[in-house]
Amino acid sequence: MATATPKAKAAVRTKMRLKKGDTVQVIAGKDKGKTGEVLRTLPYENRVVVQGINLRTRHVKPSQEGESGRIVTEEASLHASNVMLYSTSKQVASRVEIVVQNDGTKKRRLKKTGEILD
């Protein structure tokens, strides 16, 4: 009897309220309480890469004859639900809301401080 092959899931892009360059604070996991800047967002996986957070070491083999191998430390991605936008002026993490300005443009605003982003 032949087995059925599993169907590939369609890629669903998550709307994220985080952008590259935002300052975030980790609210869950081994790096809880640390803050850093978002280096990259991965909207299809709903994940973010934060500078200096969730570091992984990788052993790299030498690629040429005379070269020696090395150990590279790099940031791995975090789930977007484990980080929260961080106000550097007030030193507090906050949820974010989307507000429509009088001229019709949308802006992001921190709920706790009322600080407008971008």
Side-chain angles (χ1 to χ4, degrees):
M1 183 172 161
T3 58
T5 57
K7 289 188 177 181
K9 282 190 174 183
V12 179
R13 188 175 188 278
T14 307
K15 266 194 173 176
M16 301 180 83
R17 293 190 169 129
L18 300 168
K19 290 184 178 179
K20 180 180 176 179
D22 284 346
T23 304
V24 293
Q25 184 176 34
V26 181
I27 59 169
K30 66 174 188 173
D31 293 322
K32 182 177 180 177
K34 293 184 182 176
T35 59
E37 183 181 330
V38 175
L39 298 175
R40 199 167 74 230
T41 61
L42 307 166
Y44 286 96
E45 289 110 49
N46 196 19
R47 297 176 82 81
V48 291
V49 177
V50 183
Q51 184 177 8
I53 307 292
N54 200 19
L55 295 173
R56 298 282 182 255
T57 56
R58 188 166 55 97
H59 297 261
V60 180
K61 282 189 172 182
S63 58
Q64 294 179 352
E65 186 71 29
E67 192 178 306
S68 63
R70 60 191 191 279
I71 299 173
V72 178
T73 305
E74 58 191 10
E75 293 95 357
S77 64
L78 290 163
H79 197 270
S81 67
N82 291 336
V83 296
M84 210 175 204
L85 271 168
Y86 187 74
S87 170
T88 50
S89 60
K90 301 271 203 274
Q91 305 288 311
V92 65
S94 173
R95 289 176 296 159
V96 66
E97 63 181 335
I98 311 279
V99 292
V100 180
Q101 303 287 3
N102 292 335
D103 58 350
T105 59
K106 290 183 180 179
K107 300 281 185 187
R108 296 178 303 150
R109 182 171 66 188
L110 296 180
K111 286 223 178 209
K112 270 189 188 168
T113 61
E115 184 180 329
I116 293 198
L117 306 167
D118 50 55

